[in-house]
Amino acid sequence: MHMLFLIALYFLPAIIAHARHSTSALGITIVNLLFGWTGIGWIATLLWAMFSASWDWDLRYDHTNYYTPRYYTPPSYISRYPKRW
């Protein structure tokens, strides 16, 4: 039981990356597997997992949803037709 806890703790950065659907989940897992034992590698992969972008965010974010008017609309105080005297 203790060994299972230690293995889960060792792979915590990879678990976080996969749970957050990170775009770098595979890279985080490989780096964690190879360099996690150093301590510095484990902390680096933990930070990488916590601050990496998720592909979920990319799907939720609509890249075309910004304000682009189709045509120019003048302010309301400017009359559409000039006054003729």
Side-chain angles (χ1 to χ4, degrees), residues 43-62:
I43 291 171
T45 55
L46 181 66
L47 292 174
W48 186 12
M50 290 172 61
F51 295 111
S52 66
S54 65
W55 61 266
D56 259 356
W57 178 84
D58 221 18
L59 294 176
R60 283 188 306 238
Y61 183 72
D62 184 11

Side-chain angles (χ1 to χ4, degrees), residues 5-57:
F5 174 75
L6 291 176
I7 290 172
L9 184 64
Y10 181 79
F11 285 107
L12 184 65
I15 293 168
I16 290 173
H18 286 283
R20 292 186 69 235
H21 302 288
S22 173
T23 54
S24 308
L26 180 63
I28 291 169
T29 304
I30 291 171
V31 171
N32 188 26
L33 182 66
L34 297 176
F35 300 109
W37 60 272
T38 61
I40 295 172
W42 188 85
I43 291 171
T45 55
L46 181 66
L47 292 174
W48 186 12
M50 290 172 61
F51 295 111
S52 66
S54 65
W55 61 266
D56 259 356
W57 178 84

Side-chain angles (χ1 to χ4, degrees), residues 67-72:
Y67 179 71
T68 52
R70 293 188 181 146
Y71 51 87
Y72 174 72

